[in-house]
Amino acid sequence: MNKETTLSNGLKITKAASSKINEVDFKNIDFGKIFTDHMFVCHYNNGKWQQPEIVPYGPIQLDPSARVFHYGQAVFEGMKAYKDNSGNTFLFRPDENFNRINKSSERLAMPAFPKEFFDTGLETLLDMDNEWIKPGMGNSLYIRPFVIATEASVMASEANSYTFYIICSPAQAYYEGEVDVLIADFFSRSASGGIGYAKAAGNYAAQFYPTNLAKEKGYDQIIWTDSSSHKYIEEAGTMNIFFRINDTLLTAPTSERILDGITRKSILDLANKEGFNVEVRNIEVTEIIKAAENGNLKEVFGAGTAAVVSVIKGIGFKDKHYKVPVLQDGYAQHFKKSLTNIQYNLAEDSFGWRVKV
Ligand SMILES: *Cc1c(COP(=O)(O)O)cnc(C)c1O
């Protein structure tokens, strides 16, 4: 029997009849395939967000004409909860994710979600499914908030009804190993005036086909370049990208085409605080190729919530392959360690990024 209660904060709770947790092998988890016992749901209609709820995780029913299926009116976020060895649970800069999903929603003509619903919903969900968050470096709970247009109508305009969900998936270290990436000289992830800065579902759909072509050439991911000239480097797959040329750390400035990653800006803050030589500026493809040729390209890595830091070991450009050194103790490992130490409550958090829940 499901048990229903309404909390003093207005959140309605329906508990799962039983937990699936004993069926999960936490030592062998494929990223993003297993979900916890509960999910957060809040519907929007008649011009307002209705009573938020936590219900058992499970399939949802939508009209086949729901606009999300036809026009891709959908946005999402990716964040994580971490547990320290004393059993305390933490989020990392959750307000950044909250602000960004509303920024994405605005670009997709979707209504902003109220902060108090997000905060109480996420906190309660993490409390109810707390057993699913395992302590230990690399273990985490991947949190996926998302919003979809649910109105039943194929009319090509924004919907009048939406649903905001939060689902959670236990995760181990993601994207292990070093990767080879191919610099895009034809396809683009985003364009000026487009939706590249938003975490819009369609941005990902558009990446799959060019990424498959790159995989056929032996590459794992694509380095996206600017859509008009393909001369400037923007992102790596679904991550922001950093280069180390000699002792300078380089990354492109965020723009309407580049997603404002929380990992990226945290690395920049750490690097500046620790006195690294940091340059945030447009990066020419030819400059990176030249640095690779003359040995000044010391490291390349992607940065994002899922993998934290993903080391790049080779770059392809116009049928040529350039090897990138893989260091044991480079900038990539340094920033990964600094960030994860903060996330897992193993280091002082002078920026106030860690939020106990
Ligand atoms: C989510 C995302 C990132 C990384 O952002 P984080 O906040 O660091 O997880 C980078 N690029 C793209 C295109 C993304 O969608």
Side-chain angles (χ1 to χ4, degrees), residues 18-262:
S18 63
S19 176
K20 303 170 292 194
I21 197 163
N22 291 327
E23 296 158 31
V24 179
D25 175 6
F26 280 87
K27 299 239 158 12
N28 287 295
I29 297 181
D30 276 349
F31 180 79
K33 290 198 179 165
I34 293 166
F35 293 89
T36 62
D37 292 323
H38 300 94
M39 62 182 184
F40 173 85
V41 184
C42 187
H43 301 293
Y44 178 93
N45 47 56
N46 300 320
K48 73 186 247 270
W49 292 99
Q50 307 295 319
Q51 183 182 35
E53 278 189 75
I54 290 177
V55 299
Y57 182 91
I60 56 177
Q61 203 168 32
L62 285 174
D63 194 287
S65 70
R67 295 222 178 126
V68 62
F69 299 132
H70 304 273
Y71 307 121
Q73 202 186 2
V75 298
F76 68 95
E77 266 305 318
M79 52 201 295
K80 280 178 174 176
Y82 310 86
K83 197 173 263 180
D84 71 8
N85 291 324
S86 316
N88 300 302
T89 303
F90 301 95
L91 291 165
F92 183 73
R93 310 186 75 176
D95 288 355
E96 296 282 339
N97 297 96
F98 172 76
N99 292 336
R100 192 168 63 187
I101 201 166
N102 278 344
K103 203 171 143 191
S104 298
S105 289
E106 180 186 41
R107 181 62 183 82
L108 275 284
M110 301 163 86
F113 195 64
K115 181 144 187 347
E116 62 277 16
F117 283 12
F118 180 79
D119 288 348
T120 53
L122 182 54
E123 261 177 49
T124 309
L125 185 59
L126 292 179
D127 185 47
M128 289 171 69
D129 287 343
N130 200 268
E131 284 297 304
W132 292 79
I133 314 171
K134 299 297 177 191
M137 188 60 85
N139 295 324
S140 64
L141 188 71
Y142 185 79
I143 302 165
R144 169 53 60 87
F146 64 106
V147 198
I148 55 171
T150 53
E151 188 182 357
S153 163
V154 295
M155 195 166 91
S157 61
E158 83 272 21
N160 288 308
S161 58
Y162 298 90
T163 306
F164 190 109
Y165 294 95
I166 304 176
I167 57 176
C168 301
S169 176
Q172 292 172 299
Y174 176 67
Y175 235 41
E176 290 280 54
E178 297 89 34
V179 297
D180 285 308
V181 294
L182 182 65
I183 296 181
D185 58 4
F186 175 76
F187 291 104
S188 304
R189 193 192 76 85
S190 64
S192 299
I195 61 172
Y197 69 87
K199 267 185 125 66
N203 284 341
Y204 279 57
Q207 281 190 217
F208 298 152
Y209 174 68
T211 305
N212 286 345
L213 297 181
K215 283 180 178 164
E216 282 171 19
K217 292 184 174 176
Y219 290 91
D220 301 290
Q221 275 299 346
I222 293 184
I223 293 189
W224 301 104
T225 49
D226 73 285
S227 55
S228 47
S229 72
H230 297 289
K231 276 187 186 156
Y232 296 96
I233 290 182
E234 301 202 321
E235 297 207 50
T238 55
M239 294 190 282
N240 296 110
I241 191 166
F242 284 88
F243 297 90
R244 174 183 172 189
I245 296 187
N246 294 318
D247 285 336
T248 300
L249 185 68
L250 273 176
T251 194
T254 54
S255 70
E256 57 188 344
R257 299 188 306 271
I258 299 185
L259 193 120
D260 187 4
I262 298 159

Side-chain angles (χ1 to χ4, degrees), residues 308-334:
V308 188
V309 159
S310 176
V311 172
I312 292 170
K313 68 173 161 51
I315 295 178
F317 180 57
K318 297 207 186 285
D319 294 325
K320 271 195 149 174
H321 186 79
Y322 302 86
K323 277 201 165 164
V324 180
V326 173
L327 308 180
Q328 291 308 307
D329 207 7
Y331 288 8
Q333 292 76 17
H334 171 77

